[in-house]
Amino acid sequence: MLDVIEFSHTYGTGTKAHLAIDEVSFRVDAGEIVCVVGPSGCGKTTLLKSVAGLHRIDSGELRLRGKQIRGVPGDLAVVFQDYSRSLFPWLNVASNVEFPLRGTSLSRAQRRERAAEALAWVGLADVARKHPWQLSGGMQQRVAIARALAYRPALMLMDEPFASVDAQTRAELEDLVLRVRTEQDMTILLVTHDIDESVYLGDRVLVLSESPTTVVDTLKVDLPRERDQILTRASTEFVRLRSEVARQLRH
Amino acid sequence: MFANSKLTAFVQRWLVFAIFVLVWQWAATATNNVVFPTPLAIIGRVQQLWLNGPPSRLFLGSGINTDVLPSVGRLAGGWAIASVIGIVLGIALGLVPVLADYASAVLAFMRAVPPVMLVPVFLVLFHIGTPMQLATIVFGSIWPVLLNSVDGARSVDPIKVDTARAYRIGRVRWIVSVVLPAASPKIFAGLRINLAFALILMVVSELVGSADGVGYQITNAEGTFDYRTMWAGIALVSVLGFVLNRLLVAVENRALAWHHSTRLLEG
């Protein structure tokens, strides 16, 4: 699905140039959840934005479904960390979810239907007419996820999506992400600073180093597909994996 | 104190004004100067000039046609033109920083010229009549809404910019459906200011450049020592300004309901 080949990113030019990301390579296969963990400031967001086509790619190759990424690809959706600033407060929830579809060839009825479908799927059918600022943080992020789902992307990018919600809501939203992968047959690249979350959600965990960032390690998460917040997190394999990730991060 | 909060709000808003009018009435009666008629006398003249019509027409008499309607028409027209040009130009300048860089010196210069000073210039250019007044109103009142539109367009949240780009929202839809709503709080603030400017400029331009309207009435009355009519005209302008402002505020409250609610939550 996604191929990142020797991707580098430099900030600034000339003498002030700073190599932020140093030849990072990895792959995301269809139907996988790949979690990217790294210390603060290591360029995880820059990496994600480059995959999303929001940054120009100077060095290296990024391919989505075999095609090189130049500009923003059409089969990709992004969920940002700051949901309250990403959603449009002048539109109600349903209009927000429907908004990205306005440029496509769908009719108004089709757009409305897709938006309603997505909202129902994330469990927010009854707040369709409300405005985002009338909802709690967790619900707003679910609206953002519904908006991404209605877009029907091949790959979903999530940039520390649950960093701004409380722990209990985070648990609910993590399980929602698992359902997205399974029931919507989605491929997900998720950036997080939460080690436990990366192991809980991921099929593979990509550990990044400090700047200049390289891939320290890629861990395969050998936990069963069906995950449970309490049982899975208590299992020996989970504890072993998260310790391993923590150790790699400390490098 | 009052069980009904609407009553409290009403009293809060009008109590000071009522006291002001009473003091004025007392002071005008005491000084007994023909140049300063009492509020009662002014109201009487207002009724004579404009409110002498049948109840079916809300008591509005024919005086309205020669005095009030032309003025309101010029004011509304000038304000509307200034607003549209200001918003369109402002958003264009706000979205294309290069343009703003080139234009800023010229704009700063033009903005610094007091529009009232340009009235003689426009008189020469356009002669007496509506075009001269419209030019004065537009040129003088465009600046608040223009500058606020530039500011509003420039300060769209970068996360919204990223979101729109990530979902491949086209340039036109971006401007109309994201930039415009995002900038609308600042734009409306500019519109309220430029309404105030437009009112002043309407009256001023009518003082010298017109043969009808409120401003003409005022200056004509002053010239013929008809002070009651002059003051009636002034009172009319005040009422006009007040009513139009409240209308704009009502529109703004509808259009910016989402903004006020978000602010309430944040505060």
Side-chain angles (χ1 to χ4, degrees):
Chain A
M1 173 73 64
L2 176 71
D3 283 289
V4 177
I5 303 162
E6 284 174 18
F7 169 70
S8 298
H9 189 89
T10 311
Y11 282 116
T13 50
T15 46
K16 294 234 188 83
H18 164 65
L19 184 65
I21 301 176
D22 190 6
E23 302 210 339
V24 162
S25 299
F26 64 92
R27 223 180 63 233
V28 181
D29 291 324
E32 266 198 309
I33 299 182
V34 172
C35 293
V36 179
V37 220
S40 299
C42 76
K44 315 190 283 289
T45 299
T46 307
L47 173 62
L48 202 78
K49 280 193 172 178
S50 302
V51 173
L54 295 174
H55 280 327
R56 219 182 62 236
I57 298 158
D58 292 320
S59 166
E61 233 179 81
L62 268 70
R63 288 179 174 279
L64 182 63
R65 295 214 268 202
K67 280 200 312 241
Q68 193 153 22
I69 294 179
R70 275 197 199 95
V72 179
D75 40 2
L76 185 154
V78 185
V79 176
F80 294 92
Q81 174 184 345
D82 204 337
Y83 40 82
S84 66
R85 288 164 64 186
S86 175
L87 297 173
F88 300 140
W90 53 85
L91 295 177
N92 67 20
V93 162
S95 300
N96 260 289
V97 172
E98 190 216 339
F99 192 81
L101 299 175
R102 286 194 206 170
T104 64
S105 51
L106 298 171
S107 75
R108 186 190 274 185
Q110 284 173 313
R111 294 198 309 254
R112 289 238 190 93
E113 204 189 306
R114 272 221 210 162
E117 211 184 302
L119 276 174
W121 196 85
V122 300
L124 291 179
D126 48 347
V127 298
R129 304 222 135 268
K130 288 205 172 171
H131 284 256
W133 36 268
Q134 293 173 295
L135 305 178
S136 70
M139 290 166 89
Q140 289 186 42
Q141 192 61 299
R142 273 199 267 169
V143 173
I145 293 174
R147 180 174 64 179
L149 285 175
Y151 197 63
R152 303 254 176 101
L155 173 65
M156 194 183 284
L157 301 177
M158 305 181 100
D159 187 6
E160 305 203 36
F162 312 135
S164 307
V165 299
D166 63 275
Q168 279 173 293
T169 315
R170 197 177 311 157
E172 287 169 22
L173 293 174
E174 285 171 358
D175 288 335
L176 179 66
V177 171
L178 288 174
R179 275 181 58 215
V180 167
R181 185 267 302 272
T182 320
E183 292 176 32
Q184 301 279 345
D185 202 20
M186 189 67 63
T187 311
I188 300 175
L189 180 62
L190 188 145
V191 164
T192 180
H193 61 266
D194 186 332
I195 301 174
D196 289 345
E197 182 173 277
S198 69
V199 175
Y200 181 73
L201 288 178
D203 295 316
R204 279 188 296 133
V205 176
L206 214 71
V207 182
L208 299 180
S209 72
E210 269 177 15
S211 195
T213 306
T214 55
V215 179
V216 173
D217 199 2
T218 311
L219 283 87
K220 181 143 174 40
V221 177
D222 236 332
L223 296 165
R225 264 236 166 166
E226 292 296 310
R227 312 246 169 122
D228 178 82
Q229 287 282 349
I230 301 172
L231 294 173
T232 309
R233 287 178 188 255
S235 72
T236 9
E237 179 64 10
F238 181 91
V239 175
R240 185 193 73 79
L241 279 164
R242 60 104 51 233
S243 312
E244 183 63 28
V245 174
R247 202 175 317 127
Q248 300 279 22
L249 272 175
R250 207 183 289 166
H251 262 209
Chain B
M1 190 169 30
F2 294 101
N4 188 345
S5 68
K6 271 201 175 168
L7 187 59
T8 319
F10 181 81
V11 169
Q12 277 175 336
R13 192 181 284 162
W14 293 106
L15 184 61
V16 176
F17 179 74
I19 294 173
F20 165 71
V21 173
L22 287 171
V23 170
W24 180 12
Q25 173 77 24
W26 170 82
T29 318
T31 53
N32 202 21
N33 186 334
V34 69
V35 179
F36 294 108
T38 64
L40 282 178
I42 296 173
I43 292 173
R45 181 52 56 92
V46 167
Q47 196 268 331
Q48 268 181 329
L49 289 169
W50 300 304
L51 295 179
N52 54 5
S56 58
R57 284 190 62 197
L58 284 175
F59 300 102
L60 298 173
S62 59
I64 297 278
N65 293 342
T66 48
D67 300 335
V68 179
L69 287 184
S71 296
V72 173
R74 286 170 201 138
L75 172 61
W79 177 81
I81 295 173
S83 302
V84 168
I85 298 179
I87 293 174
V88 170
L89 197 58
I91 291 189
L93 289 175
L95 289 178
V96 187
V98 171
L99 272 184
D101 289 339
Y102 281 114
S104 64
V106 175
L107 288 178
F109 176 73
M110 292 209 291
R111 178 177 138 229
V113 178
V116 179
M117 304 271 95
L118 289 178
V119 167
V121 175
F122 287 131
L123 257 182
V124 170
L125 278 175
F126 295 100
H127 308 295
I128 290 183
T130 302
M132 173 258 169
Q133 277 140 33
L134 283 181
T136 312
I137 295 173
V138 170
F139 188 85
S141 65
I142 198 175
W143 305 108
V145 68
L146 175 65
L147 294 173
N148 274 31
S149 298
V150 171
D151 193 22
R154 256 198 219 158
S155 51
V156 177
D157 195 339
I159 294 188
K160 293 196 174 57
V161 178
D162 279 345
T163 304
R165 284 180 63 206
Y167 282 111
R168 310 223 296 181
I169 289 172
R171 170 75 44 95
V172 175
R173 184 162 327 105
W174 158 244
I175 294 176
V176 173
S177 309
V178 185
V179 175
L180 208 49
S184 59
K186 293 209 167 116
I187 293 178
F188 267 104
L191 287 178
R192 265 191 280 135
I193 303 174
N194 93 333
L195 182 62
F197 281 20
L199 184 68
I200 297 171
L201 291 170
M202 180 269 286
V203 175
V204 166
S205 65
E206 280 184 357
L207 291 179
V208 296
S210 153
D212 61 5
V214 174
Y216 169 74
Q217 269 281 35
I218 292 174
T219 194
N220 192 40
E222 195 239 333
T224 57
F225 305 104
D226 185 359
Y227 295 112
R228 289 198 180 182
T229 304
M230 182 188 87
W231 279 99
I234 294 173
L236 179 64
V237 170
S238 305
V239 169
L240 208 56
F242 177 78
V243 167
L244 288 172
N245 184 261
R246 296 240 49 95
L247 273 176
L248 185 57
V249 168
V251 171
E252 180 182 338
N253 284 341
R254 280 300 305 282
L256 294 185
W258 57 267
H259 180 68
H260 297 147
S261 303
T262 342
R263 293 290 222 79
L264 268 171
L265 283 170
E266 281 170 25

